């Protein structure tokens, strides 16, 4: 289900898809007044010639270990990709959104027929995808993954199966979870052992990197559902059914009763496939503040699992360590002018491999220049305006670019040479005696900000 403020182009809600068998028309009876905006959608997903071979002999499989390695936890299950089941990517009008962690796996069912054949599954997926995008106005199919009664795992939502793609499957609880839907109606039939194994395989692969306990519970903040108000802190199973978070019968009586077995199988897969624990970065380190002389930058270590790691900092100037700059904040100095500043953020914990991140401040470092103007004249009526621009004491570079020099009503632009300009006025047309206003405007460059200076010059 689409959350408010998510990437979905519509928050429109609808019923689960209901399987009615082969039909080319439907009649529906509504008790009481017909609700405004009520729409009935009839999906007729036809088989395609290639559907028979999808998922057999490796057809349509994603490349193994793409984006996420088994070294991070349980092994990646055998997945059948979107191209294999015929996803029309033109139905998507929004780029995928990503989350920072996975706390839960929400289990659903699609409520269609349980008697489908292997070759029916691609068409069923295309029908769900069309319903979610064209009828409900969502950006993509809502589920991250789907499993069929034969134990096959299918990629649902686009964005990379190995990445943390935000789904639209569980209203109020999509921000820290993945969603798996069992193809079929499990209010009327028990799920197969192969299906339960497929759900467990995906769940283990997704929760293991974050050290979630598959048979345990976790506290999650609701973004607002029909069962839990926005901001409510809720204790829920790490692997739960849709009905645990919303007022629904999903994932059906028999699949819900089978969730303890799914949790047990997931725990076994995690235990069998998880090597020594590692530090997992859930939110990358970052640097805040404008890199400008006189400002102070601050490094954030981000979020990570486990949380009891030690964090060290080392600030860098143009990739080289700055002596003595090894705390979380850094005051920008004149020596930094023109250089990109970054911070080496290292996460350490005994027995685990360290994690090193190097977030950069926006660069290069800028500064306000000093601007000096010396105006003089000689007896021939020639005025000479000498302009000198420099960085703060200790800056390794000098200002470049153009200055505009004004004497009275005459303005001329000059290019700086080593931070200096000498402008002359007069010559053939001698300046008349009097007091002249002198103005100098420096427009700035990529490193130095603009500067102005005004003075006067008296011509005798």
């Amino acid at each position: 289900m689409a959350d408010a403020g998510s990437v979905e182009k519509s928050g429109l809600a609808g019923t689960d898809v209901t399987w009615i068998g082969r039909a080319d028309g439907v009649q529906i009876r509504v008790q009481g007044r017909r609700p405004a905006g009520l729409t009935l959608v009839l999906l007729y997903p036809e088989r395609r010639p290639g559907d028979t071979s999808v998922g057999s002999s490796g057809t349509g499989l994603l490349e193994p270990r793409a984006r996420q390695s088994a070294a991070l936890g349980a092994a990646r299950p055998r997945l059948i990709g979107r191209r294999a089941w015929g996803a029309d990517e033109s139905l998507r009008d929004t780029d995928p959104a990503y989350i920072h962690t996975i706390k839960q796996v929400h289990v659903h069912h699609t409520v269609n027929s349980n008697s489908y054949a292997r070759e029916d599954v691609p068409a069923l997926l295309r029908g769900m995808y069309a319903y979610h995008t064209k009828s409900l106005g969502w950006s993509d199919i809502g589920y991250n993954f789907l499993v069929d009664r034969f134990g096959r795992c299918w990629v649902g939502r686009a964005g990379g199966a190995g990445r943390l793609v935000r789904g639209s499957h569980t209203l109020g609880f999509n921000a820290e979870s993945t969603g798996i839907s069992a193809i079929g109606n499990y209010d009327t039939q028990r799920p197969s052992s192969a299906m339960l194994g497929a759900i467990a395989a995906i769940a283990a692969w997704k929760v293991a990197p974050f050290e979630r306990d598959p048979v345990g519970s976790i506290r999650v903040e609701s973004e607002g559902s029909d069962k839990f108000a926005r901001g409510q802190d809720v204790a829920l199973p790490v692997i739960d059914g849709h009905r645990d978070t919303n007022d629904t019968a999903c994932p059906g009586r028999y699949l819900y009763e089978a969730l303890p077995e799914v949790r047990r199988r997931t725990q076994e897969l995690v235990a069998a496939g998880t090597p020594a624990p590692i530090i997992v970065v859930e939110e990358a380190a970052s640097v805040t503040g404008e890199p400008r002389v006189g400002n102070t930058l601050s490094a954030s270590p981000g979020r990570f699992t486990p949380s009891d790691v030690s964090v060290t900092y080392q600030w860098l100037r143009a990739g080289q360590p700055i002596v003595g700059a090894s705390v979380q904040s850094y005051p920008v100095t004149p020596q930094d002018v023109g250089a990109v500043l970054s911070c080496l953020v290292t996460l350490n914990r005994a027995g685990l491999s360290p994690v090193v991140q190097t977030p950069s401040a926006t660069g290069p470092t800028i500064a306000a220049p000093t601007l000096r103007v010396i105006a003089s004249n000689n007896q021939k009526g020639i005025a000479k305006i000498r302009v000198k621009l420099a960085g703060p004491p200790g800056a390794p570079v000098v200002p470049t670019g153009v200055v505009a020099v004004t004497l009275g009503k005459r303005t001329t632009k000059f290019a700086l040479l080593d931070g200096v300009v000498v402008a002359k006025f007069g010559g053939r047309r001698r300046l008349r005696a009097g007091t002249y206003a002198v103005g100098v405007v420096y427009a700035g460059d990529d490193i130095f900000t603009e500067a102005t200076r005004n003075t006067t010059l008296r011509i005798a």
Side-chain angles (χ1 to χ4, degrees):
M1 294 185 178
D3 299 302
S6 69
V7 298
E8 312 309 326
K9 60 186 177 183
S10 166
L12 188 66
T15 66
D16 290 323
V17 178
T18 300
W19 180 259
I20 59 171
R22 296 180 64 84
D24 58 8
V26 175
Q27 288 184 327
I28 185 170
R29 176 179 296 173
V30 179
Q31 293 183 341
R33 295 187 62 184
R34 173 179 173 176
L38 177 66
T39 302
L40 175 65
V41 178
L42 176 62
L43 299 173
Y44 186 64
E46 293 184 293
R47 286 187 193 171
R48 294 177 182 173
D51 289 351
T52 303
S53 61
V54 173
S56 61
S57 303
T59 303
L61 298 183
L62 298 178
E63 290 298 320
R65 306 291 181 262
R67 290 283 185 179
Q68 189 168 341
S69 168
L72 294 178
R76 178 187 180 124
R78 186 172 182 257
L79 297 169
I80 305 172
R82 288 171 60 89
R83 180 183 294 183
W85 58 260
D88 179 358
E89 301 299 348
S90 69
L91 298 184
R92 296 191 299 110
D93 68 348
T94 306
D95 291 334
Y98 297 92
I99 57 179
H100 298 296
T101 188
I102 289 181
K103 290 184 176 180
Q104 287 188 282
V105 175
H106 301 295
V107 180
H108 304 255
H109 69 159
T110 61
V111 206
N112 57 271
S113 166
N114 296 303
S115 60
Y116 55 86
R118 286 177 176 268
E119 54 268 29
D120 289 327
V121 176
L124 292 172
L125 295 176
R126 292 192 294 269
M128 294 175 215
Y129 178 39
Y131 177 57
H132 287 182
T133 55
K134 298 173 70 174
S135 299
L136 298 184
W138 296 357
S139 68
D140 198 346
I141 190 169
Y143 311 115
N144 297 98
F145 303 95
L146 299 99
V147 298
D148 62 28
R149 67 190 184 98
F150 310 104
R152 298 180 299 178
C153 304
W154 302 79
V155 177
R157 180 156 285 215
R163 302 180 68 185
L164 304 186
V165 179
R166 179 176 177 131
S168 185
H169 43 80
T170 308
L171 181 66
F173 294 88
N174 291 312
E176 298 176 312
S177 68
T178 194
I180 306 172
S181 195
I183 301 173
N185 185 346
Y186 298 99
D187 256 333
T188 60
Q189 183 170 311
R190 297 184 185 278
S192 67
S193 177
M195 171 175 278
L196 298 181
I199 296 173
I202 297 173
W205 179 47
K206 286 298 180 180
V207 302
F210 303 98
E211 298 183 347
R212 310 302 183 198
D213 180 4
V215 298
S217 297
I218 196 165
R219 300 206 71 85
V220 185
E221 182 177 330
S222 170
E223 291 186 321
S225 76
D226 50 13
K227 197 167 187 175
F228 298 106
R230 181 180 180 84
Q232 186 172 349
D233 190 52
V234 189
L236 293 168
V238 170
I239 301 174
D240 71 1
H242 189 186
R243 65 174 66 178
D244 292 320
T245 56
N246 288 259
D247 288 329
T248 176
C250 184
R253 169 189 171 187
Y254 293 112
L255 181 51
Y256 191 78
E257 290 176 354
L259 288 184
E261 181 180 349
V262 171
R263 296 180 185 117
R264 177 186 58 78
R265 289 197 189 189
T266 303
Q267 185 182 47
E268 291 174 354
L269 290 170
V270 170
T274 305
I278 65 169
I279 299 172
V280 177
V281 175
E282 299 179 357
E283 182 179 310
S286 60
V287 170
T288 56
E290 182 187 26
R292 178 172 181 160
V293 174
N295 289 355
T296 297
L297 304 181
S298 181
S300 168
R303 292 190 296 121
F304 36 81
T305 303
S307 58
D308 59 338
V309 304
S310 63
V311 183
T312 60
Y313 303 91
Q314 175 60 61
W315 289 90
L316 310 175
R317 178 190 301 127
Q320 298 301 313
I322 303 172
V323 176
S326 56
V327 294
Q328 193 167 3
S329 60
Y330 176 71
V332 183
T333 70
Q335 289 77 19
D336 302 317
V337 172
V340 173
L341 297 173
S342 56
C343 186
L344 206 65
V345 181
T346 305
L347 310 179
N348 288 286
R349 185 183 180 193
L352 304 183
S353 298
V355 173
V356 180
Q357 303 178 75
T358 313
S360 295
T362 303
T365 302
I366 61 175
T370 58
L371 172 57
R372 295 196 308 166
V373 177
I374 300 175
S376 61
N377 69 95
N378 59 25
Q379 294 180 349
K380 296 181 179 180
I382 297 175
K384 183 167 70 173
I385 314 298
R386 180 180 174 84
V387 179
K388 183 175 178 59
L389 282 135
V397 292
V398 297
T400 61
V402 174
V403 293
V405 181
T406 300
L407 181 69
K409 296 182 179 180
R410 296 173 58 186
T411 299
T412 307
K413 292 184 178 181
F414 302 88
L416 284 165
L417 180 61
D418 293 329
V420 176
V421 159
V422 177
K424 293 182 179 181
F425 295 86
R428 292 182 179 179
R429 296 180 59 186
R430 297 182 59 180
L431 297 171
R432 294 184 179 183
T435 300
Y436 291 80
V438 177
V440 176
V441 177
Y442 171 57
D445 59 15
D446 292 338
I447 298 173
F448 292 96
T449 58
E450 64 182 26
T452 60
R453 180 72 65 190
N454 296 309
T455 187
T456 59
L457 174 64
R458 179 171 178 75
I459 303 293

